[in-house]
Amino acid sequence: MSYYGPTDWRSNSDLALRMRDIRKGNLDLGWMKAGTEKLRFSQENPKRGFTYLDVNKGSYGYDDLPEVPRGPRGAAPRGATYDVKHQADLEPELNRKSDVWAYKVASFTEEAVSRQWDATTDVPWTDLDKYERSEELEVAYAQLCTFFTEVEMIATDLPAKWLWRMNNQFHEVKHFIATQAIDEARHAEVFRKRALVGGVGLMEALPQAEHSLKAILDGDTYGDASAFMHLLAEGNILTMFRFSEFISPTPVDKRIFQLVMQDEARHVSYGMQHLKWTIDHTPERKEQLHSALDEGESITINQFDAALTECMIVLAGKGTKPEQIAEGVKIVGQLQVKQMQEYFHRLRRAGFEDRIARSKFTPMLSQLGLTPEFTAKAAAEVS
Amino acid sequence: MTIRFPSLEFFQALQQRTKEDKAVFEKLGTCDTNFGVKIGSQLYTIDFEVYECVDVREGGDPTRLDFVIGGPTEVWGEMVKAILQHGGADAKHTLNTLSHVGDVLRIETSDAEGHDKFYRFMASIQEFFDQARHLDVKVA
């Protein structure tokens, strides 16, 4: 216990007197005249249900929420009355709307709630035995799943780390990143189960990945962490999920990646819209975001030299014979270029085009011969 | 009644399936997107709202759609045949697999957010096509 209230209520005579009074039926009923706004709310579309968008009105809504809400710093819900003098200060660190807000965040939250799934029952696990898989490919698949499990555990911690630091006036964002935490926990669960159910077990944990994950987790601000996590890292992982669905040998694995892909794409969309909101409302933060992404890109590139890249090559080429590896190298090269291209498209959409010229990805990938021209040529050659 | 593929009737029949198999689509969650399916040079516009497909039509303005999945008629035909044969897309014929590497199917979009919607609603869109398993389809 580190917080002790200013009064010991166990031996407070005023409280005891008041409690006795209430027990006699002498109620104050002052709370019945709170004076909060009386509005009528209705569902815009009954098929969709009663959404955050339906309650976006007046003092309860988010459209009129100022950049710095000077109201309660505790848990008073937006639109309730509060007594600042007597309320606990929960000391939120993220008190500006531009710190956390994103265009369409209420829609993302509703979508997240609606599209939840269950790793225990929504994957046809028992069907896996129907499909023949080589030992070699199953080992490579287990390595891929080990990497994804590591990544998703930190992806669970990151939103949880920042969630309680956000002012409760921004509850739509808090709700969204709470759904993100549960999404990521489910991803860690599904990949762990997949590695184990294949009979190989978990493989190598990768230091390259863990340094990258630490950098995400230790972002100086939520904006830095979000740009790195939602846009750069999850964008890369989304492209890898697409790739993994592509190389998955069984419909069971395809199903897993179709499901995780949906969640990841939603997180990336939030990240893109948060970055756009930040740049539109506080352009002075651009330089700090550039610095965060400079480091993010640098540390992300390190994963290209890891068991991760090798297991993807083996999976893409369907084996370890020289001709299979050559085929795998071609396919994985396309994935790496695609990761960069999609990241740039998202930066452009977020209004952060100037990042593209500064990005560390372009020169690094060019040195490796990984250019859009390479992708076009490789795409034509891949059988 | 046998439905020809590709045709507007095929997509109308799939639209109807989202109402008849409503529980499956509700389980997958809300899906709000307007996208295109380009088979050869013929574009079909598909509108999803909440849980179901609310409209399909021939033509449309690709620049106003979230994304367009396009490819040769033969590739689409193979995909539909695989769905009919396996009761749903097999590993070689899912939408993502066909559109990820190489020039099999292409995802065309002018907007990164629209592009990401293809992934956000992947399971619903795949299920939409997989519903062809319930239809009597003749692939041209």
Side-chain angles (χ1 to χ4, degrees), chain A residues 165-370:
Chain A
R165 301 179 187 206
M166 292 181 186
N167 192 306
N168 279 307
Q169 297 300 292
F170 309 131
H171 66 259
E172 290 87 355
V173 176
K174 297 186 78 160
H175 192 160
F176 177 75
I177 67 167
T179 66
Q180 187 191 343
I182 190 69
D183 290 344
E184 311 287 18
R186 184 173 56 247
H187 296 180
E189 175 194 359
V190 82
F191 290 122
R192 181 178 184 82
K193 287 178 174 174
R194 175 60 187 88
L196 297 180
V197 80
V200 173
L202 291 159
M203 301 293 288
E204 274 187 25
L206 306 177
Q208 293 95 330
E210 292 190 3
H211 282 289
S212 179
L213 295 168
K214 180 171 168 54
I216 291 173
L217 207 50
D218 287 355
D220 291 337
T221 66
Y222 177 71
D224 290 359
S226 172
F228 191 169
M229 160 95 169
H230 290 117
L231 203 75
L232 172 58
E234 292 205 89
N236 279 338
I237 293 289
L238 173 58
T239 314
M240 287 179 67
F241 283 169
R242 284 201 71 196
F243 167 83
S244 304
E245 200 264 8
F246 168 75
I247 48 98
S248 285
T250 76
V252 179
D253 297 316
K254 297 252 173 199
R255 182 70 179 163
I256 291 173
F257 283 107
Q258 285 165 7
L259 290 169
V260 294
M261 195 187 296
Q262 299 187 139
D263 301 334
E264 212 73 0
R266 191 167 57 241
H267 308 158
V268 172
S269 290
Y270 162 77
M272 191 161 62
Q273 296 297 345
H274 171 53
L275 181 62
K276 185 166 168 47
W277 183 281
T278 305
I279 288 171
D280 286 352
H281 294 84
T282 52
E284 67 276 12
R285 292 189 192 183
K286 264 189 167 181
E287 191 46 43
Q288 186 177 341
L289 290 165
H290 271 306
S291 300
L293 288 172
D294 282 343
E295 185 57 19
E297 290 172 7
S298 167
I299 211 158
T300 299
I301 288 172
N302 193 24
Q303 290 174 50
F304 281 24
D305 170 30
L308 170 65
T309 306
E310 293 198 7
C311 78
M312 291 195 302
I313 289 171
V314 171
L315 285 165
K318 298 186 173 61
T320 53
K321 291 179 188 158
E323 63 275 20
Q324 291 171 320
I325 288 178
E327 176 82 351
V329 165
K330 242 184 257 173
I331 296 175
V332 172
Q334 289 180 74
L335 162 83
Q336 290 166 332
V337 174
K338 203 172 260 199
Q339 282 177 315
M340 180 180 73
Q341 287 174 326
E342 290 183 355
Y343 169 58
F344 288 172
H345 288 161
R346 292 181 186 115
L347 287 171
R348 203 169 283 125
R349 178 73 171 86
F352 205 18
E353 294 93 333
D354 47 335
R355 174 78 217 148
I356 297 169
R358 186 165 158 174
S359 171
K360 293 189 186 298
F361 281 145
T362 318
M364 179 68 180
L365 265 64
S366 291
Q367 274 180 32
L368 298 170
L370 296 172

Side-chain angles (χ1 to χ4, degrees), chain A residues 45 47-48 104 108 110-111 114-118 122 238-239 241-243 245-246 248-251 254-255 258-259 261-262 265-266 268-269 272-273 331 334-335 338 342 345-346 349 379 382, chain B residues 25-32 49-52 54 89-103 107 111-127:
Chain A
N45 183 341
K47 280 187 187 169
R48 198 181 292 283
K104 305 177 189 174
F108 291 139
E110 295 291 345
E111 184 183 312
S114 176
R115 294 190 76 84
Q116 291 296 301
W117 52 279
D118 179 348
D122 287 339
L238 173 58
T239 314
F241 283 169
R242 284 201 71 196
F243 167 83
E245 200 264 8
F246 168 75
S248 285
T250 76
K254 297 252 173 199
R255 182 70 179 163
Q258 285 165 7
L259 290 169
M261 195 187 296
Q262 299 187 139
R266 191 167 57 241
V268 172
S269 290
M272 191 161 62
Q273 296 297 345
I331 296 175
Q334 289 180 74
L335 162 83
K338 203 172 260 199
E342 290 183 355
H345 288 161
R346 292 181 186 115
R349 178 73 171 86
V382 168
Chain B
F25 288 91
E26 284 184 4
K27 166 80 175 94
L28 291 169
T30 53
C31 175
D32 294 284
E49 190 181 294
V50 193
Y51 301 113
E52 68 186 47
V54 292
D90 64 340
K92 288 182 185 160
H93 293 96
T94 63
L95 289 171
N96 180 69
T97 296
L98 290 170
S99 62
H100 186 58
V101 171
D103 290 322
I107 307 300
D111 174 33
E113 197 195 347
H115 190 230
D116 285 343
K117 279 193 181 181
F118 175 56
Y119 314 125
R120 269 162 57 191
F121 304 122
M122 173 64 71
S124 301
I125 297 166
Q126 183 66 58
E127 180 58 33

